[in-house]
Amino acid sequence: EEAAAAADKPMVTDPTTGKMVTAPEYGGTFTYAYRLFAENTDPSIAGGWVGFQLSGVNEQLVQGDWGLPREEFGFTGNYVPTSFFRGNLAESWEQPDNRTFIVKIKPDIHWHDKAPMNGRELTADDVAWAYSRHSGLLDWKPEYTEALFGLPWESIEPTDKYTVVFKLTEPRLGMVRAILAENTAFVLPREVIEQHGDYTDWRNVVGTGPFMLTEHVEEVSMTRTRNPNYHGFDEKYPENRLPYVDEVKALFMAEEATRLAAMRTGQIDILHRFGATTINKVEVVNRLLGTNPDIQVGTYFQRALQVSGLNIRKPPFDDIRVRRAMQMALDRDAINDSYYSGFAQRNPSGYFGDASGPVYTPFDEWPKELQDAYSYNPEKAEQLLDEAGYPRGADGVRFEVSYDHRDLIDLGYVEIAAGYWKEIGVEVKISIHDTGSWVPRRIDGLYDMTTGDQAWDQDFSKLFGWYGSLVEGRENHLVEYLGGVPDPTLIRLYHAFNAATEESEQIRIAKEFDLYALSQHFQVFGFKAPKYQVAQPWVKGWNGESFLQDQGDVQVFARLWLDRDLKAEMGF
């Protein structure tokens, strides 16, 4: 009877793919695994990682358009272009001049029915106050700042019940993206923060989103419960109010073996980018499909995490010849074919990924000298080390360095790379650190080599700001990411970028920044490799999507539904 019930369900066409799928239905608990969460729920203190708790609860002004044809944009990367946004809390927006941005808030959006907000309507006053707090315009100054804090603000003011006007003292080409897409820019409840002094306690969280945060037991579970009065409707099926599921349950699972066992037994519905539980290796996916052949698989590209940072503040990496030798020692083609089954990005990339728009420079457009410096040439690598004054000793070793490996990142690649470095006489001793110990060691320069990243698929205005930020009160990302020493050329280009008044000039400067940074070999580029998200066959409406905006993953979950009859039919 259950099998018949599952088979006889009405079908609909997914307008974004043209595929047939069982019709949306309400109810059930959607369960995912997670291994990361922020130390608290205040984005101006803990940063964008609060999305692990706030996503789907507090909302942002816009998000990616779920109704877009997937052949036009698949939502499977780390970046949603501004042109693919649609309003969430915002109904519309415009930029009448290069210092002004105006946002119209949708009427009839209500806060959750929870004290002290008690379901009252969201207004422009709420949005203006929240953005003023994020931007440092109140007496209280944020501890964690991103692009909003760095903008030269004149004012953020409501001009009527549903209109907010953002004004800068001087033009910034990145202002629109910062206002619309900054990953810390959740609209937070003023009454809660004024009552408690901050937004750090999850018990005080009140939002406007499809779910309410009703439980959080650290390193055990998180529960989001359906908001019955949510303002949003499914972009694919506009007659359907969201969300479809009654509850989103997160189960803390630090170990991949535990997560895979939970997928095999139907304990969880998805392993997703959200919570950092994607699968890194194709052979692991294939083993899962061997036991559960109906599992849905989606690929996800974020950035190149298989990158090794070099501390240029001290020997041996203060010598560019040594840094170049470390790059030339790696046979990327052999590693890609053997370790990544050929699925990783074949050529190295710069600091801007191939989805970053016009600032991305493909490898075949690099200057010939730079292409050679990023190509496998162990003989040249050994020659450079000899010239730098690091001959092989009697045991064949030139020098020994430590490698701080961040435990969230794939260790296998680093071990393979260490084998190649050993072939040119460099002994690399790997030590594994959790995030809590890895971050301060990186910032304080207590490493020789360390986990890095590169090839970000991100809006170039924001990304350039990350690497060049010299804003008072936050870590200098030029130092943190690019070797530990502020480079005068990069600082000059950063300031020129911010002073540019034409986007074409910004693009030119960003490309120059990228190629110059590559020429200095601050990091050893490894791979931009796919990660894999997997979902149970009874999860419907999913086509491999990762998120609708940075930290907007639960907005995806709100648009998925469960075929509970199929799940029962399969014995789960």
Side-chain angles (χ1 to χ4, degrees):
E1 293 178 0
E2 289 175 339
D8 293 340
K9 286 178 180 274
M11 306 291 287
V12 295
T13 300
D14 183 334
T16 66
T17 65
K19 298 177 181 176
M20 297 297 292
V21 62
T22 56
E25 55 188 280
Y26 289 90
T29 296
F30 183 89
T31 306
Y32 70 95
Y34 75 104
R35 59 170 176 157
L36 291 180
F37 57 92
E39 62 187 16
N40 62 63
T41 47
D42 194 326
S44 289
I45 296 176
W49 277 25
V50 301
F52 288 126
Q53 287 99 294
L54 295 188
S55 180
V57 182
N58 288 99
E59 295 189 285
Q60 297 162 294
L61 291 176
V62 301
Q63 60 191 26
D65 186 353
W66 185 250
L68 280 173
R70 294 301 183 260
E71 61 183 14
E72 184 176 345
F73 191 75
F75 298 102
T76 56
N78 199 50
Y79 170 58
V80 179
T82 307
S83 59
F84 293 148
F85 284 155
R86 66 174 291 153
N88 187 24
L89 298 179
E91 186 171 60
S92 63
W93 51 92
E94 61 175 322
Q95 187 177 20
D97 60 62
N98 61 7
R99 296 191 301 109
T100 307
F101 191 64
I102 301 173
V103 176
K104 294 284 188 180
I105 305 302
K106 290 179 184 177
D108 203 31
I109 294 176
H110 292 265
W111 293 94
H112 296 156
D113 190 9
K114 175 181 175 181
M117 307 311 291
N118 299 318
R120 75 163 175 81
E121 188 179 14
L122 176 79
T123 67
D125 286 297
D126 294 314
V127 174
W129 184 88
Y131 270 81
S132 294
R133 183 176 187 267
H134 291 314
S135 302
L137 299 181
L138 305 180
D139 291 337
W140 180 86
K141 298 302 180 185
E143 297 178 26
Y144 187 96
T145 57
E146 277 288 355
L148 287 169
F149 185 80
L151 291 172
W153 289 107
E154 177 181 308
S155 61
I156 302 174
E157 299 287 347
T159 56
D160 60 40
K161 187 176 182 181
Y162 301 114
T163 306
V164 183
V165 178
F166 300 82
K167 280 189 172 291
L168 302 182
T169 59
E170 57 186 80
R172 285 289 188 271
L173 292 176
M175 76 174 294
V176 172
R177 181 82 194 188
I179 292 169
L180 294 181
E182 176 53 56
N183 69 357
T184 59
F186 292 98
V187 176
L188 306 181
R190 179 174 184 171
E191 290 97 313
V192 170
I193 295 171
E194 290 183 340
Q195 178 178 327
H196 297 280
D198 56 36
Y199 202 57
T200 57
D201 190 336
W202 71 267
R203 297 168 186 83
N204 301 327
V205 166
V206 187
T208 57
F211 298 100
M212 298 172 283
L213 185 60
T214 51
E215 182 189 56
H216 181 200
V217 181
E218 286 192 9
E219 298 192 13
V220 178
S221 66
M222 280 186 284
T223 302
R224 294 169 172 86
T225 304
R226 185 177 192 271
N227 172 15
N229 301 312
Y230 184 54
H231 62 88
F233 289 79
D234 190 338
E235 295 84 353
K236 296 182 184 181
Y237 312 102
E239 69 279 5
N240 292 348
R241 183 181 292 274
L242 298 172
Y244 288 112
V245 296
D246 293 332
E247 186 177 73
V248 172
K249 187 84 169 181
L251 300 178
F252 184 79
M253 296 181 179
E255 302 298 327
E256 184 174 66
T258 305
R259 298 191 294 269
L260 293 172
M263 281 296 294
R264 287 191 172 97
T265 58
Q267 185 183 358
I268 56 176
D269 296 310
I270 199 166
L271 293 178
H272 193 264
R273 184 199 92 114
F274 195 57
T277 58
T278 48
I279 299 173
N280 293 324
K281 299 178 181 178
V282 66
E283 60 264 31
V284 175
V285 176
N286 288 335
R287 286 199 299 269
L288 181 60
L289 289 171
T291 57
N292 298 64
D294 296 321
I295 291 280
Q296 304 175 72
V297 179
T299 55
Y300 163 64
F301 282 89
Q302 182 183 16
R303 61 187 184 273
L305 290 170
Q306 286 71 26
V307 172
S308 302
L310 304 174
N311 190 343
I312 70 172
R313 285 171 276 201
K314 59 183 182 179
F317 299 125
D318 58 341
D319 192 316
I320 193 172
R321 292 170 295 185
V322 177
R323 305 198 298 269
R324 188 179 296 130
M326 298 294 281
Q327 181 70 62
M328 299 177 82
L330 299 181
D331 187 345
R332 297 184 73 260
D333 284 339
I335 298 172
N336 190 4
D337 290 339
S338 62
Y339 189 65
Y340 295 109
S341 301
F343 289 116
Q345 182 175 298
R346 180 65 59 176
N347 288 323
S349 180
Y351 290 89
F352 302 107
D354 54 5
S356 295
V359 297
Y360 169 66
T361 303
F363 180 74
D364 58 10
E365 295 179 13
W366 292 8
K368 178 65 164 56
E369 182 181 3
L370 194 59
Q371 289 184 8
D372 290 343
Y374 280 80
S375 298
Y376 179 52
N377 190 339
E379 295 80 12
K380 179 65 175 178
E382 298 230 36
Q383 178 187 332
L384 287 169
L385 292 174
D386 288 338
E387 293 172 0
Y390 293 100
R392 286 183 180 268
D395 59 357
V397 177
R398 298 175 183 274
F399 57 81
E400 181 179 303
V401 292
S402 64
Y403 194 115
D404 281 18
H405 177 73
R406 190 181 183 187
D407 65 351
L408 298 178
I409 311 303
D410 178 32
L411 178 62
Y413 162 73
V414 179
E415 293 174 332
I416 292 171
Y420 279 97
W421 291 321
K422 186 173 184 176
E423 290 180 8
I424 62 168
V426 178
E427 289 281 354
V428 177
K429 303 297 184 183
I430 304 168
S431 58
I432 300 173
H433 297 266
D434 62 21
T435 297
S437 64
W438 176 82
V439 170
R441 286 181 57 83
R442 178 170 181 164
I443 292 173
D444 294 338
L446 303 177
Y447 65 92
D448 299 323
M449 302 180 71
T450 188
T451 301
D453 51 37
Q454 208 166 317
W456 278 75
D457 288 340
Q458 187 58 276
D459 171 73
F460 69 87
S461 297
K462 178 177 178 180
L463 183 61
F464 196 93
W466 281 352
Y467 285 103
S469 179
L470 300 173
V471 177
E472 182 180 355
R474 70 170 297 212
E475 284 300 326
N476 178 353
H477 278 213
L478 258 179
V479 171
E480 182 184 337
Y481 281 93
L482 302 181
V485 178
D487 185 290
T489 299
L490 295 181
I491 292 174
R492 174 183 61 79
L493 291 171
Y494 166 69
H495 287 299
F497 179 91
N498 277 338
T501 57
E502 299 292 336
E503 187 174 70
S504 59
E505 180 67 2
Q506 276 197 326
I507 291 170
R508 184 193 66 77
I509 294 168
K511 290 172 78 73
E512 182 181 348
F513 178 100
D514 194 24
L515 291 175
Y516 173 79
L518 283 166
S519 74
Q520 297 305 298
H521 296 273
F522 297 115
Q523 303 190 87
V524 180
F525 186 85
F527 291 91
K528 182 179 179 182
K531 299 182 178 183
Y532 301 92
Q533 303 174 124
V534 293
Q536 300 287 4
W538 54 79
V539 174
K540 300 299 181 181
W542 188 67
N543 296 292
E545 296 90 354
S546 54
F547 71 126
L548 293 181
Q549 194 189 78
D550 200 1
Q551 299 300 340
D553 308 64
V554 177
Q555 294 286 8
V556 171
F557 299 167
R559 288 158 171 77
L560 307 180
W561 61 96
L562 302 173
D563 188 337
R564 289 173 289 167
D565 294 314
L566 176 59
K567 182 177 181 179
E569 174 189 341
M570 296 181 68
F572 294 105

